[in-house]
Amino acid sequence: MDAYDGDPGAPAGPGGRTTSPPVPGQRHETTAGSGERAGTAGEAGPEQTAGQGRPETTGPEAPGAAGPVPRYGTAAAEATDAEPGPETLPTEAAGSGRTGRQPVPATGLAALSPRFRAVAAVAAVAVAVVACVHLGMVFLSVAPANTLSKRHGDAVDAWVYPEFEQNWKLFAPNPLQQNITVQVRAQVRSAAGETFTTGWYDLSAQDGRDIRGNLLPSHTQQNELRRAVDFYAGTHDGANRPAGLRGELSQAYLRRIAVLRLEREHAAKPQEELARIQVRIRSAAVAPPPWSEEKASTEPVDRLLPWWTVPAGEAGGGVR
């Protein structure tokens, strides 16, 4: 007997087909109306919601399992059941063609135009070259005599002196033990053509007053005058004769410092001018401590430098 044959005595269903009586524990599908699925005949199971008339599903692979009833057909049900993956874009992003990622703004040199980046690169290279040249010149000036320093000694001295001069006296086994005082006087020419000589101005005492009680004294107050005197003494002999280009540079450097200090002290009145200046360097040894057996004279020793003519314009702050 065919499994789908019904009972001959059963009443005919819609469309003229007969249905067999329901068997307990077995699901039956009947055609209702325009193809909609009917619920399971009999009483609802414990997991079936009353009043829905939908059969209990046991899984997607279970034979005869009935899924949710599609409202707009099978394609709509599949589209509804599909879940968006990690690559799915929002509706507005997908519709507008945007990926949802904002571009990161460029910073630093990358934000500049190619022209300005080229200018920045050239400036960086120029600074690096100047720094390397400066370090090389300073190294040659303090290094022992070698082929390069002998061949290019004038160029090295012109680059280093007097602003970048280096020395190792701080690490000497016997540091300086002298008090050095620098004094200057001037010959002033009046508007009538008369010349007179001023008294001695103590430049070292001026620096001492500026440094004393000052928590942050400037480099010029501490070292400018002292380094100028050391530079002069190291490039001149006992008769004050300069030794080459360095001697001439040291003389001009010390003269300019003295002229600027006299201008601050108003050695020349508005209608007068500085004609010549003379520098005196007074050295006195520091008295040894009582516990030392060293003997040293504390009497001052003067070194009187020759008169130097002040070039025109230098007294007013100019440089020649």
Side-chain angles (χ1 to χ4, degrees), residues 166-187:
Q166 306 291 322
N167 67 80
W168 306 102
K169 291 182 180 179
L170 178 64
F171 306 100
N174 189 17
L176 295 176
Q177 299 179 359
Q178 289 181 326
N179 286 326
I180 299 177
T181 301
V182 182
Q183 301 172 345
V184 62
R185 63 180 178 178
Q187 286 184 352

Side-chain angles (χ1 to χ4, degrees), residues 142-175:
V142 299
N146 52 71
T147 303
L148 287 177
S149 61
K150 292 179 180 178
R151 180 176 300 177
H152 305 287
D154 294 340
V156 173
D157 293 343
W159 181 281
V160 173
Y161 295 100
E163 287 82 5
F164 306 113
E165 182 185 5
Q166 306 291 322
N167 67 80
W168 306 102
K169 291 182 180 179
L170 178 64
F171 306 100
N174 189 17

Side-chain angles (χ1 to χ4, degrees), residues 28-114:
H28 298 270
E29 290 185 3
T30 59
T31 303
S34 58
E36 294 182 354
R37 299 180 180 179
T40 305
E43 296 180 356
E47 297 179 5
Q48 185 176 359
T49 304
Q52 292 183 354
R54 296 178 59 185
E56 178 186 357
T57 58
T58 59
E61 292 84 6
V69 179
R71 296 183 58 187
Y72 302 105
T74 305
E78 293 177 357
T80 304
D81 295 340
E83 296 182 358
E87 299 294 333
T88 305
L89 299 176
T91 305
E92 56 273 14
S96 60
R98 297 171 58 186
T99 60
R101 296 182 179 179
Q102 298 296 332
V104 179
T107 58
L109 293 177
L112 300 176
S113 63

Side-chain angles (χ1 to χ4, degrees), residues 223-291:
N223 300 318
E224 182 184 52
L225 185 61
R226 178 181 61 85
R227 296 299 302 125
V229 172
D230 290 345
F231 185 25
Y232 180 88
T235 56
H236 287 73
D237 56 14
N240 294 318
R241 291 189 296 262
L245 178 61
R246 294 183 60 190
E248 296 176 0
L249 286 174
S250 65
Q251 177 177 323
Y253 186 49
L254 182 58
R255 186 190 68 237
R256 291 169 185 171
I257 293 176
V259 169
L260 290 176
R261 299 292 184 89
L262 290 174
E263 286 292 323
R264 295 177 191 172
E265 296 296 325
H266 304 287
K269 300 299 186 291
Q271 301 299 327
E272 300 172 346
E273 63 176 357
L274 296 176
R276 297 194 304 169
I277 65 170
Q278 187 178 33
V279 177
R280 181 174 65 183
I281 302 174
R282 173 169 292 180
S283 303
V286 177
W291 46 263

